[in-house]
Amino acid sequence: MAQTGTLTKRQQNLALVTLIVAVVLEIVDLTIVNTALPAISADFGAGAEAVQWIVAGYALSFALLLMAGGRLGDSFGYRRMFLFGVAGFTLASAACGLARTAEELVAARLLQGATGAIMSPQALALMQVLFDPLERVRKLALFGLVGGLASIAGPVLGGILIDANLFGLGWRLIFLINLPVGLLALVSGWYFLPDRRSARPAGFDAPGMALFGAAVLGLLWPLTRAEAGWGAREWAALACAAPLFALGWRHVAARVAQHRPALFDPALLAILPFRLGMAISVAFAAANAGFLLTFAFALQAERGQSPLTTGLLHMPFGLGAMIGIAVLGRNFLPRYGKWVLVAGGAAMTLAAGGVLAGIGLLALSWPVLVPLLLLTGLGMGALSGCIMPVSVAQVGNDHAGAASALLKTAQQLGAALGIALAGSVYFAWNNALGLPPSTGAFTVIGLLLALCVIFAAQLPEKIFNKRG
């Protein structure tokens, strides 16, 4: 067991590799499933609701427990909770790979998301322990690069594994491959990660988590039931969502006023760039997750492509996203401010519409679709790479950690919402108006991206000139 202050450079680098492995596990498992959904649906005879929950369940449980995961590390130790999260994630992956029904797979995916939410915050906390501030900047840049590559690798790896069909396991390999990787992270983490915890843990707000969790479920569950049709239960759940959100808001405001641990500080939303950044985060994450789900499913269902081809066609999108984040956002945001987000959102709207129309309605050839995918990724990267710096530009240092955690939570909730919305329209569309489902799904995705553009246009002209 390594102790802080006794680590050599070699041990620090091995610890960093351990944390990177965990980050890759988390990101890949969010994107790898899209490629496998048609195969999973066919194997289980699963309906639209189960298919959506296989993807959305992971993002939802991750989002609801993410802030609690960070505070567990503060209270019980970052290394201990990291190992607990990795072990739970590995076992949940095994449960996914061994699932006998769609319901069992959904339950295992919920467990994956929950344990991922315990694992993920410890990685950033341990970065604080392992490296000094200047080293940390370089290592975090490496995290960003690896995260971008992992998001591209997920669908490609999924396609390769399904196409290989090793030992006749088919889609199950996309989950079972996590077992050796998780075991490696456990052994490495035990030997190389320092044993540290916060000297002043913030505490928990379990009632706040329960209220907001119930509100989100009340909103998402009816949306995934669109294909089956809404009855009294679905309308009742939807009607309860708004009051539960209001109760949750009052609860956290009261906890903050009483100087007790709260899920978040409502005062953060009084800061205009942060409030608009939260709105952009939710809308963008919903649009992006909805696009990736529709893209992967439509390629196989509407164009008859194999999982391998579907995975490979994610590469130009991922390449464009990396260029958008690393080049466009970083170089143009300081000069042009909010207009980089506006332009990125507009470009992604037009290009994503062309991609989805090109798959089904127009049946465009690959030489035409690939540049459109690259442009979609460029727009996505220019928008997504700017959301975090813009949102926290006027947030004081004392609230920087809480603001970042809240933004990441909003992104995961947005992803679950986008899968529910776009997935419901896609599966319930049934060639309405003579148009394929991919075209129908874009009505939702395009609206969400339009909201991103509208919210971004409301940002102040000068964002980076004031801090609280």
Side-chain angles (χ1 to χ4, degrees):
M1 182 189 304
Q3 299 294 328
T4 306
T6 65
L7 295 177
T8 65
K9 282 292 182 184
R10 177 175 176 276
Q11 288 173 319
Q12 282 183 313
N13 289 329
L14 287 169
L16 177 63
V17 171
T18 302
L19 300 179
I20 287 175
V21 167
V23 169
V24 168
L25 271 178
E26 172 213 323
I27 295 173
V28 165
D29 261 75
L30 186 61
T31 59
I32 197 171
V33 176
N34 286 338
T35 309
L37 284 176
I40 293 171
S41 177
D43 195 10
F44 287 142
E49 183 179 0
V51 167
Q52 290 171 85
W53 275 106
I54 288 167
V55 187
Y58 179 96
L60 179 61
S61 59
F62 188 99
L64 294 179
L65 294 173
L66 180 62
M67 298 183 79
R71 292 181 178 180
L72 283 169
D74 291 339
S75 299
F76 299 108
Y78 306 124
R79 174 181 170 277
R80 177 183 297 177
M81 297 316 300
F82 175 84
L83 294 175
F84 179 84
V86 171
F89 193 92
T90 305
L91 290 173
S93 298
C96 288
L98 298 174
R100 296 165 298 178
T101 65
E103 291 74 19
E104 287 183 6
L105 181 54
V106 169
R109 286 286 286 170
L110 288 167
L111 182 59
Q112 261 194 325
T115 51
I118 296 172
M119 173 178 68
S120 179
Q122 317 317 325
L124 290 178
L126 285 163
M127 290 288 290
Q128 302 284 108
V129 173
L130 286 165
F131 302 103
D132 63 42
L134 287 177
E135 286 181 306
R136 206 178 299 143
V137 171
R138 295 193 298 271
K139 304 304 183 185
L140 286 173
L142 179 61
F143 258 61
L145 175 62
V146 171
L149 290 171
S151 65
I152 300 171
V156 178
L157 180 61
I160 292 171
L161 290 173
I162 295 167
D163 192 67
N165 193 27
L166 296 176
F167 311 110
L169 291 171
W171 61 265
R172 297 177 186 275
L173 275 173
I174 70 171
F175 299 113
L176 296 177
I177 197 174
N178 290 342
L179 273 62
V181 180
L183 289 173
L184 176 64
L186 277 173
V187 173
S188 179
W190 176 263
Y191 281 105
F192 299 118
L193 295 179
D195 191 10
R196 285 287 299 275
R197 70 185 68 189
S198 173
R200 292 176 295 178
F204 299 94
D205 179 12
M209 287 175 55
L211 284 169
F212 279 100
V216 171
L217 285 175
L219 176 63
L220 291 185
W221 180 69
L223 293 177
T224 62
R225 299 277 298 164
E227 188 187 40
W230 284 7
R233 291 182 305 166
E234 287 79 11
W235 285 110
L238 199 62
C240 289
L244 284 169
F245 274 118
L247 284 173
W249 183 271
R250 291 182 61 184
H251 168 83
V252 295
R255 299 267 295 201
V256 169
Q258 296 163 8
H259 303 288
R260 299 171 63 194
L263 196 60
F264 62 90
D265 187 349
L268 282 170
L269 295 178
I271 302 169
L272 179 62
F274 185 78
R275 183 168 69 247
L276 288 170
M278 283 282 289
I280 296 168
S281 292
V282 173
F284 165 75
N288 192 52
F291 170 77
L292 290 174
L293 173 72
T294 304
F295 176 63
F297 220 100
L299 277 174
Q300 296 176 72
E302 297 178 25
R303 290 289 285 266
Q305 298 303 309
S306 68
L308 178 58
T309 302
T310 299
L312 292 174
L313 282 169
H314 282 74
M315 293 181 70
F317 174 80
L319 176 62
M322 290 182 65
I323 295 171
I325 293 170
V327 179
L328 300 182
R330 185 180 66 180
N331 292 327
F332 294 139
L333 182 61
R335 185 182 306 175
Y336 299 109
K338 67 180 182 181
W339 300 112
V340 179
L341 286 85
V342 171
M348 186 176 177
T349 305
L350 294 173
V355 168
L356 294 182
I359 289 173
L361 182 64
L362 303 177
L364 297 179
S365 63
W366 302 134
V368 179
L369 277 175
V370 166
L372 284 173
L373 280 166
L374 182 65
L375 181 58
T376 305
L378 285 169
M380 178 269 195
L383 177 58
S384 67
C386 297
I387 292 174
M388 179 68 80
V390 164
S391 300
V392 302
Q394 297 178 15
V395 173
N397 290 335
D398 290 344
H399 296 288
S404 298
L406 195 54
L407 280 166
K408 189 164 185 179
T409 300
Q411 289 165 358
Q412 295 293 329
L413 289 174
L417 179 63
I419 291 160
L421 285 170
S424 293
V425 172
Y426 183 88
F427 292 116
W429 189 255
N430 202 21
N431 292 321
L433 306 175
L435 300 174
S438 52
T439 305
F442 183 71
T443 60
V444 172
I445 297 163
L447 176 60
L448 289 166
L449 288 170
L451 287 174
C452 290
V453 172
I454 292 168
F455 292 142
Q458 303 307 309
L459 287 164
E461 290 290 340
K462 295 182 179 179
I463 299 171
F464 299 99
N465 64 333
K466 184 174 71 174
R467 287 185 76 88

